[in-house]
Each structure stands twice: as C-alpha cells, then as structure tokens.
Amino acid sequence: MRLALTGYSVVSTHGVGRSTWEDALRSDADLAQAAFSPASEVAPGRRVAAVWNWDATAHLGAKGHRTYARLTKFLIAAAKNALLDLSLIHI
C-alpha cells in the first residue's frame, strides 16, 4: 500500500498555517528582519527567531495541553493544520 500526503502546514515566526507561510514568502518584506528580534531576554546580545504572540488555545482548544512543551504544541498545531489542508479532518 502506498500513501502520499500532499498537504502541509507551518508554525513559524510569520504565523501559523500554509497560507500565512506562503503569503510571507511572496511578500516584499525582509523576512529575516521580521523573523529575528534585535534583542532577547533569553540570550542577550544574540539574534533569536521566535514565534511571537503564540496562543496555543487558538489552535489546540482551551484544555488538555498545559503540560506540553512549547515545541510539542507547535508540532500538534502544524499537524492539525496539515490534515485540514488535506481535507482529512473537518472542524
């Protein structure tokens, strides 16, 4: 049995979802400037790319993910959006 998935999603410094990612790539804005902050509280003096204003409840619901690591929440949100992109799930 062969299976080919042709949908994808991205959680990035530019936002969440396929369309947000593609819009960022098509824009004339300097992507590196938008992605990297000039200052970081975690790593002073270094440029850090981060997902700004991330709200896991907007993508995962209000309950059940409090103990998950931040990266795990990103992966779940990206997987969910990829399945939506494929029309394998409907919400």
Side-chain angles (χ1 to χ4, degrees), residues 36-54:
F36 291 92
S37 85
S40 168
E41 296 173 8
V42 178
R46 303 198 183 225
R47 290 175 31 138
V48 177
V51 179
W52 311 110
N53 301 320
W54 168 255

Side-chain angles (χ1 to χ4, degrees), residues 56-57 59-69 72-73 76:
T57 58
H59 303 281
L60 306 178
K63 296 186 179 230
H65 55 81
R66 184 174 57 96
T67 59
Y68 295 168
T72 301
K73 294 177 188 182
I76 294 170

Side-chain angles (χ1 to χ4, degrees), residues 18-37:
R18 178 180 182 164
S19 61
T20 304
W21 175 250
E22 290 174 349
D23 291 345
L25 293 177
R26 279 193 290 267
S27 75
D28 292 332
D30 181 5
L31 296 179
Q33 183 67 28
F36 291 92
S37 85

